[in-house]
Amino acid sequence: MNKFKIEATPERCTGCLICQLVCSEIYTKRFNPSMARIKVDILGVDCLISFTEECNECGVCVDHCLYGALKKIPREKRK
Amino acid sequence: MKKGGFAGRVLYVNLTSGEIKKEPLDLDLAQKFIGGLGMNLRLAFDRIKPGVSAFSPDNPIVLGTGPLVGTSLPATSRVYAVTKLPQSRAIGWCGGGGMTFGCLLKNAGYDHVVIEGCSKRPVFLKIIDDDVEISEASSLWGKGVEDTCTSLWDTFGRHAGVISIGQAGESMVSFSMAFIDRTSTLGRGGFGAVMGSKRLKAIMVKGSKGIQVADRKRYKALSDELLNNIREYPYLKEWQDLGLVKSIPFIPKELYSKIKKRRLACVSCPIGDKDIVEIPDGDLKGLISCSTSVVNLLTPIVYGFKDYREAIKCISILDDYGIDMFEFFGVLGFAKELFDQKIISQDILEEEIRLDSLHSMETWARKICFRDGLGDSLADGFEGIIRDFGKGAKRYAPYIIRGMLPYVGPRGPLVWNLFGTMELGQALDPRGPHVGASGSPTYFAKRPLGQFPRHLIRMGAPKEAISRILPGLDSPKGEQELKIGRLLNYSHNWFCTLGCLGICARAQINRFYSASLCAKLYSAVTGIDTTAEDLMKRSDRVWTLLRMANIREGFTRKDDALPEKWFEEPAFKDYLSGNRVIRQDLDQMIEDYYDERGWDVQTGMPTPRKLKELGLKES
């Protein structure tokens, strides 16, 4: 189990999809948003960020998010 | 080493015959023209018959993206189109932040799409990986941009890229635009009307093939360094939070925070500048608008709108019709002046023109889009009005370049009176005026000249050019000079480099890139080892081909002429001295520009020597 969990703050997301790009590249060696383990859906004003069952919370999406929409939360401190 | 970056195919669609072909991308040619904008132009150059009308079925639309698009590199999403444009009648480019479209086109397996012919009935182009179809669009025809996108997203899912026109494009309004994913624009010049002339309502793309880079290790090192530079940029958060509101003071920050619902970014952009806003009160309470920037939404305030809510509603209407707002207000301002001068009579006018009234602007937007009454003349822009109201009307026209309104100038909608590369570029880009600072240091007013060399090197100017652009810079007693014409040459080449690669040209983004970094990224992504000098030479080749394409169309030195009204009071001011810019100054700038490009200073024609150097003789 990873030391952290990923927490999403959809209010901060702009839909830039960099998380999906880097996630897919790590696991498929191709930049392919449709193969990402994180999914961002911007529906009008609303935004939904979800993770597929394959997601192992490696954190590459968090490392690349420049908007603060994704964060690593240490497990021991997580309520 | 394996090749990466490119999707590797070009999609050819003929709307007359219905033929659809997928052909391999000629990688040698793509390498020579970098890709993206450059390759679009090369493909268009081969297929445009000289003298073809913008609305002829034979006028191709060549749409495409660069080799970095679809990767995770910051702000690499640009989509460009090249076609014969109706307003300038030049072969020109339109470009927009690609939102998701560019990335998905690459993922579907295409770098470029070439669309020719004309459909008998309204259609949209459906691209889902290898499944490409010219689909019936009669249910979409007549819809605005918003409803067209929503309808396609309802059918194909929200993860589809959509380029769509509104009713203005359908009616071939000369200043109509196409919208990318409802938000970004392929605008200025009448690109929407070219789509409309082909009865092409939209292009929808979904893709799942993925994009590979050639050298993953090198890519990661370069990408990490670039992202770290962006992270450490002290104004990053402010730009992310405010976008253009940060630099355009007419919008109070308090107002923006009151209406802001979400900021949107094109794929991989770290400084997303698109806006979703909601009106919180008043008669228009609950109106949600999505735009390329909140600054656009509030632009009617510049024309006298008193209520910001009505300004937002007005631009929402124009966006939905797919109209260029600057040209719209410019054309209506001209028509109003002609009414005041009694050249347009009351019975022809039918409805009052008031640039500060939502009701009036909504009425005229509708009349233009459906070519109702006087709206039919106005739909053909300044040219249509002068055509229908005679030469007497012409003297009251605002300054016009290549049939279009330059919107930056002492009497333009955006008051800006220092003469830099963006201002000269409005006259010297064949497509006509647009906002394209191209990373030039003159984008910022009164930047100290000492800072210029650093920017010039970043933009790929060779060291020996610096003393030509900035004579006297190193001489403590010498008078300092700034040669705008010579600087524009490198500004155009830099813009072209970014456009070919697919990087956003906005000043807030391209400041993180340099010619040297671009060459390294191109090498890592494509596997084609390239130096900065090589890359800039290829951009020079692309921009010179654009010139050659338009010389072939009959354009000459006289088409680079500057409007007489630019020299009337209030005039432009010299960037450095603040002195009034006179015609002789600008003529000298144009000659300097030609000279720096290796074009004949009298005719503006690329010299045989230059063409040989660029390997364009056989083009």
Side-chain angles (χ1 to χ4, degrees):
Chain A
M1 183 183 281
N2 276 341
K3 290 178 184 169
F4 55 82
K5 290 280 287 179
I6 296 173
E7 188 174 277
T9 311
E11 298 75 38
R12 294 186 178 192
C13 179
T14 61
C16 81
L17 302 188
I18 201 165
C19 53
Q20 291 192 203
L21 288 166
V22 293
C23 171
S24 61
E25 209 279 338
I26 285 273
Y27 296 105
T28 70
K29 296 187 178 166
R30 299 181 82 88
F31 291 105
N32 183 348
S34 68
M35 296 298 286
R37 298 172 179 190
I38 177 171
K39 303 285 177 196
V40 174
D41 289 287
I42 299 231
L43 307 158
V45 173
D46 300 321
C47 172
L48 183 68
I49 299 174
S50 58
F51 301 88
T52 68
E53 284 182 2
E54 293 81 34
C55 174
N56 60 11
E57 296 178 297
C58 72
V60 67
C61 52
V62 183
D63 296 340
H64 284 78
C65 178
L66 287 173
Y67 292 98
L70 299 169
K71 274 187 185 160
K72 294 174 183 173
I73 306 293
R75 283 189 185 277
E76 57 275 20
K77 290 184 183 172
R78 200 162 182 268
K79 290 177 184 176
Chain B
M1 182 179 288
K2 69 183 176 192
K3 297 282 191 288
F6 295 103
R9 290 190 301 179
V10 180
L11 177 63
Y12 292 90
V13 177
N14 190 307
L15 297 173
T16 304
S17 66
E19 187 182 14
I20 293 169
K21 284 190 300 182
K22 297 151 194 162
E23 292 188 358
L25 177 72
D26 181 339
L27 266 180
D28 289 337
L29 203 59
Q31 194 174 331
K32 202 173 163 191
F33 291 87
I34 305 174
L37 172 61
M39 193 58 188
N40 276 346
L41 180 63
R42 185 64 174 77
L43 290 166
F45 185 84
D46 286 350
R47 304 182 86 85
I48 292 178
K49 292 174 190 157
V52 73
S53 148
F55 297 145
S56 163
D58 291 334
N59 181 28
I61 290 172
V62 183
L63 189 85
T65 67
L68 304 190
V69 174
T71 70
S72 62
L73 291 169
T76 52
S77 77
R78 290 286 288 189
V79 172
Y80 282 91
V82 172
T83 192
K84 184 92 171 268
L85 291 165
Q87 278 194 290
S88 60
R89 294 195 174 79
I91 295 171
W93 56 269
C94 295
M99 303 306 289
T100 63
F101 188 94
C103 174
L104 294 173
L105 182 68
K106 291 278 292 284
N107 269 273
Y110 310 99
D111 298 289
H112 305 274
V113 182
V114 179
I115 302 168
E116 291 172 304
C118 172
S119 172
K120 285 184 179 165
R121 55 193 168 78
V123 291
F124 74 96
L125 182 61
K126 184 185 88 175
I127 305 170
I128 303 178
D129 290 323
D130 295 337
D131 173 19
V132 180
E133 193 179 294
I134 300 168
S135 301
E136 169 75 25
S138 53
S139 64
L140 299 176
W141 202 255
K143 284 186 193 290
V145 171
E146 170 88 31
D147 282 352
T148 303
C149 290
T150 304
S151 176
L152 289 170
W153 286 329
D154 285 348
T155 307
F156 297 101
R158 185 59 186 86
H159 293 283
V162 176
I163 291 179
S164 164
I165 58 170
Q167 297 94 334
E170 293 176 11
S171 298
M172 292 187 277
V173 173
S174 73
F175 45 96
S176 55
M177 308 190 288
F179 277 67
I180 307 175
D181 291 348
R182 188 188 56 180
T183 308
S184 191
T185 59
L186 290 169
R188 300 232 92 198
F191 181 76
V194 178
M195 279 182 71
S197 75
K198 296 182 179 307
R199 296 191 185 84
L200 178 63
K201 180 67 177 172
I203 306 168
M204 186 285 300
V205 65
K206 291 177 80 171
S208 62
K209 291 176 186 290
I211 300 295
Q212 265 185 306
V213 299
D215 186 339
R216 291 181 78 217
K217 194 174 165 190
R218 200 168 161 205
Y219 175 90
K220 187 174 183 320
L222 290 166
S223 169
D224 286 352
E225 190 182 338
L226 183 51
L227 275 179
N228 281 337
N229 285 341
I230 293 172
R231 261 192 209 99
E232 286 166 14
Y233 179 48
Y235 302 107
L236 176 67
K237 180 131 188 8
E238 207 178 343
W239 275 113
Q240 287 179 335
D241 287 346
L242 296 173
L244 289 175
V245 174
K246 171 170 158 46
S247 59
I248 298 185
F250 85 86
I251 299 170
K253 292 183 174 70
E254 303 72 38
L255 168 62
Y256 181 48
S257 66
K258 197 163 97 173
I259 59 177
K260 175 175 159 183
K261 294 303 286 185
R262 181 176 295 282
R263 291 185 64 74
L264 294 176
C266 296
V267 165
S268 79
C269 181
I271 302 177
D273 63 347
K274 318 296 182 201
D275 276 295
I276 301 179
V277 301
E278 182 174 357
I279 295 177
D281 48 27
D283 291 346
L284 294 166
K285 182 179 177 180
L287 174 73
I288 292 173
S289 188
C290 178
S291 171
T292 198
S293 167
V294 70
V295 172
N296 286 20
L297 288 171
L298 297 176
T299 292
I301 292 170
V302 173
Y303 295 98
F305 271 57
K306 299 288 185 293
D307 186 335
Y308 81 88
R309 291 162 285 214
E310 292 194 349
I312 291 173
K313 175 70 178 172
C314 178
I315 297 298
S316 301
I317 292 166
L318 299 185
D319 281 357
D320 203 38
Y321 281 140
I323 301 180
D324 176 336
M325 66 175 178
F326 285 116
E327 209 74 2
F328 173 79
F329 278 102
V331 160
L332 282 167
F334 181 28
K336 183 178 184 314
E337 177 70 18
L338 294 184
F339 174 72
D340 292 344
Q341 298 296 334
K342 304 191 185 335
I343 293 174
I344 293 180
S345 60
Q346 181 67 56
D347 59 319
I348 291 174
L349 192 67
E350 297 164 356
E351 296 274 351
E352 186 186 19
I353 296 175
R354 279 189 54 192
L355 266 57
D356 61 354
S357 155
L358 173 62
H359 173 73
S360 175
M361 292 300 93
E362 186 173 7
T363 301
W364 281 101
R366 188 171 59 248
K367 286 168 83 67
I368 287 171
C369 281
F370 296 101
R371 290 186 172 270
D372 173 17
L374 179 63
D376 190 35
S377 297
L378 272 52
D380 291 333
F382 295 103
E383 188 182 281
I385 300 174
I386 292 166
R387 177 195 66 211
D388 294 342
F389 293 94
K391 286 188 179 168
K394 196 173 181 179
R395 58 189 287 234
Y396 298 106
Y399 40 57
I400 298 169
I401 296 180
R402 298 177 201 272
M404 298 161 68
L405 182 78
Y407 55 83
V408 183
R411 266 185 299 188
L414 300 182
V415 180
W416 174 265
N417 62 3
L418 287 182
F419 201 88
T421 56
M422 186 158 68
E423 291 65 43
L424 185 62
Q426 292 190 86
L428 291 182
D429 187 330
R431 71 166 285 199
H434 63 98
V435 58
S438 319
S440 163
T442 62
Y443 184 59
F444 295 97
K446 299 282 181 189
R447 193 196 287 271
L449 283 196
Q451 292 181 10
F452 275 50
R454 178 168 60 88
H455 283 283
L456 292 171
I457 296 298
R458 184 178 70 79
M459 293 159 61
K463 278 184 184 163
E464 72 268 16
I466 292 174
S467 61
R468 293 196 297 274
I469 299 165
L470 301 161
L473 182 67
D474 296 328
S475 160
K477 290 181 183 170
E479 191 180 334
Q480 293 195 339
E481 284 185 79
L482 170 61
K483 301 287 188 185
I484 295 292
R486 296 189 186 279
L487 175 55
L488 180 61
N489 170 45
Y490 299 102
S491 213
H492 274 162
N493 285 353
W494 177 231
F495 167 79
C496 195
T497 304
L498 299 169
C500 292
L501 294 172
I503 301 168
C504 179
R506 282 188 188 238
Q508 297 79 18
I509 290 296
N510 93 52
R511 68 186 313 285
F512 297 111
Y513 285 92
S514 66
S516 156
L517 177 60
C518 284
K520 288 177 189 164
L521 292 168
Y522 183 81
S523 303
V525 169
T526 65
I528 303 165
D529 269 327
T530 306
T531 64
E533 291 74 23
D534 262 353
L535 201 59
M536 299 318 292
K537 185 174 178 181
R538 290 177 213 175
S539 293
D540 191 0
R541 179 181 295 134
V542 171
W543 205 257
T544 301
L545 182 65
L546 180 63
R547 182 74 173 182
M548 294 305 291
N550 283 295
I551 287 171
R552 198 175 65 173
E553 292 295 323
F555 287 91
T556 64
R557 164 74 173 84
K558 72 176 171 48
D559 296 295
D560 293 337
L562 301 156
E564 206 54 53
K565 291 195 177 185
W566 266 18
F567 304 102
E568 296 171 1
E569 289 289 351
F572 274 114
K573 291 182 175 179
D574 182 84
Y575 181 85
L576 205 57
S577 66
N579 295 335
R580 180 181 175 175
V581 172
I582 59 172
R583 177 167 286 285
Q584 287 88 333
D585 297 331
L586 287 180
D587 285 344
Q588 185 60 53
M589 287 181 200
I590 293 173
E591 285 187 17
D592 286 347
Y593 175 77
Y594 291 162
D595 186 52
E596 198 67 31
R597 291 215 74 93
W599 299 354
D600 185 287
V601 293
Q602 300 303 321
T603 65
M605 296 265 288
T607 61
R609 184 178 163 190
K610 183 69 183 183
L611 292 176
K612 190 174 175 193
E613 177 198 320
L614 295 175
L616 279 176
K617 276 216 155 173
E618 69 281 12
S619 291

